[in-house]
Amino acid sequence: MKKSNRKNVLMVLAIVLAAILCACGSSEKDSGGEKGENKKEVKEEKKASGPSIEEEVLFEKDGVKVSVKGVEYMGTPADSAKVTFLVENQSTENLFFTDEAEIVNQYHAGYVDYVSESGGKVPAGKQLDISMYISAEELEELGYTVNEIGEVGIKLAAWNENNEFMWDTGLLCVKTSEYGKTGEGTVEAGTEIYNEEGVRIEYLGMTEDEAGYPMAELLFENTSDKDVICDIGSDFSAEADVKTYEEAKAAMEEQIMAVPSSTPIVFSGKKRIEQVMFSYYDVEKKIDPELLNEVNISIRLTENVTGNMMETPVLAESQTVVLQIK
């Protein structure tokens, strides 16, 4: 009888122990599953998302092929996008590539970095990654968010080892998964100050740079079939009858200079926002923005010819425009 009782007790203990072990195993399994899911969630949080771009070949010429590889987003939430292009040189020449323009949606925007210590050099039989970066801050100025990138574009020019221009790719545009859904942006309409040869310029308002110099924001829109260089400059037409060198110098010092942040090149069918800084001829003397009522600026249009900046056909001769600040 005692043996039978001992045997029964051992069986009960074995069953209880087995049940405990099963429960522990199940708990560990569930815990592992939860940990796995948590890791997955953290990983997905770190990986910023946005409109996608499919890999495709964009251009082929003389043994050179340009493709888009895709897009990556950085930050949580995404504060910038990187679009990567691949240049493959299967020709017999060593080539250099320069980027002539970067486009986001309908605007000139972004900047390019050559993923190589030698810049845009691509020896024969080699390849090169070119990264185009777009910041959320820049997109915001154009009236978009990172999730509203519908199209990106790049134009590359090829040069040989003697620095001779060979050819360019033209504007290579890539549509994202959001193409057609992004609209016109939210840049408010300004005051039209110029409209010649299919190029419109609007005055959007005033701002200032880090040093406190007043700056006018201008919107350029090119509806022509040509890529256009918009030369913005100062109008130094005499405002007084000066007779001596001292009088001429004094009058010149009171002239207001218009200094654009760059020489805007606006591609056909595209837009661009640029700033023009104002200062006196004596740059040490700053203009009080409160006293700035109007400024005369000159505008001249020429055609942008890649590889030949010395001979650019004139589309519209220099014209004086009065910019009403207030």
Side-chain angles (χ1 to χ4, degrees):
M1 186 70 177
K2 289 182 179 179
K3 286 184 180 180
S4 179
N5 287 340
R6 190 181 297 116
K7 190 174 182 181
N8 290 338
V9 170
L10 290 174
M11 287 180 66
V12 171
L13 287 174
I15 292 170
V16 171
L17 182 60
I20 292 172
L21 289 174
C22 287
C24 290
S26 176
S27 175
E28 287 178 3
K29 190 174 183 180
D30 291 341
S31 176
E34 287 176 5
K35 286 180 181 178
E37 288 177 3
N38 289 338
K39 286 180 180 179
K40 186 178 180 181
E41 287 174 4
V42 170
K43 188 175 181 181
E44 286 177 352
E45 285 178 1
K46 288 183 178 180
K47 185 179 180 181
S49 61
S52 60
I53 290 177
E54 298 294 329
E55 185 173 345
E56 64 173 310
V57 176
L58 304 173
F59 177 87
E60 289 186 84
K61 183 180 177 70
D62 298 340
V64 174
K65 183 165 65 175
V66 180
S67 308
V68 61
K69 296 175 66 176
V71 59
E72 299 176 58
Y73 296 91
M74 286 74 77
T76 306
D79 57 16
S80 61
K82 181 180 79 169
V83 182
T84 303
F85 299 88
L86 174 66
V87 178
E88 299 174 83
N89 180 13
Q90 297 303 321
S91 72
T92 58
E93 290 189 84
N94 298 329
L95 298 175
F96 289 86
F97 288 86
T98 56
D99 76 286
E100 304 297 310
E102 310 87 44
I103 302 293
V104 178
N105 294 349
Q106 56 186 325
Y107 288 91
H108 288 251
Y111 72 94
V112 159
D113 180 31
Y114 298 95
V115 189
S116 165
E117 293 181 359
S118 56
K121 182 178 180 180
V122 190
K126 301 295 183 179
Q127 61 186 37
L128 172 73
D129 277 349
I130 299 178
S131 297
M132 175 178 168
Y133 292 91
I134 311 159
S135 70
E137 182 179 355
E138 182 179 36
L139 285 169
E140 185 178 351
E141 292 177 358
L142 305 177
Y144 298 98
T145 66
V146 172
N147 288 322
E148 294 176 321
I149 299 175
E151 184 178 47
V152 296
I154 189 172
K155 178 181 178 181
L156 300 174
W159 309 75
N160 64 20
E161 290 187 294
N162 296 322
N163 202 31
E164 296 171 333
F165 172 70
M166 305 288 288
W167 41 261
D168 67 71
T169 62
L171 188 61
L172 305 176
C173 291
V174 181
K175 297 176 181 178
T176 76
S177 57
E178 289 299 300
Y179 181 76
K181 306 175 186 178
T182 58
E184 296 291 320
T186 57
V187 176
E188 295 185 5
T191 303
E192 183 177 295
I193 62 171
Y194 183 87
N195 195 336
E196 297 286 342
E197 300 298 326
V199 175
R200 291 179 63 256
I201 303 178
E202 291 183 3
Y203 165 61
L204 300 179
M206 293 297 294
T207 182
E208 63 179 39
D209 67 2
E210 295 178 354
Y213 287 98
M215 303 177 73
E217 281 197 324
L218 301 180
L219 170 65
F220 300 79
E221 181 179 12
N222 181 5
T223 60
S224 75
D225 60 353
K226 297 180 175 63
D227 299 336
V228 178
I229 301 172
C230 303
D231 288 307
I232 307 292
S234 305
D235 181 5
F236 287 132
S237 55
E239 297 179 359
D241 183 17
V242 295
K243 297 179 181 179
T244 66
Y245 172 77
E246 286 74 18
E247 290 176 336
K249 182 179 178 182
M252 195 67 173
E253 288 177 349
E254 293 303 313
Q255 288 273 8
I256 294 176
M257 293 198 308
V259 184
S261 53
S262 68
T263 300
I265 300 175
V266 191
F267 274 60
S268 174
K270 301 300 179 182
K271 298 180 182 180
R272 183 175 195 137
I273 294 178
E274 287 289 344
Q275 290 78 36
V276 176
M277 183 191 78
F278 298 121
S279 69
Y280 289 112
Y281 187 77
D282 178 7
V283 294
E284 298 299 323
K285 180 182 176 183
K286 290 186 180 179
I287 298 174
D288 183 352
E290 294 298 320
L291 303 178
L292 197 60
N293 295 316
E294 63 178 41
V295 180
N296 290 346
I297 61 175
S298 66
I299 301 173
R300 180 174 181 263
L301 305 182
T302 56
E303 184 177 355
N304 179 47
V305 181
T306 306
N308 190 2
M309 295 299 293
M310 302 304 294
E311 297 181 14
T312 54
V314 176
L315 302 176
E317 293 291 352
S318 182
Q319 178 179 327
T320 299
V321 171
V322 180
L323 186 62
Q324 298 287 344
I325 305 299
K326 294 181 181 178

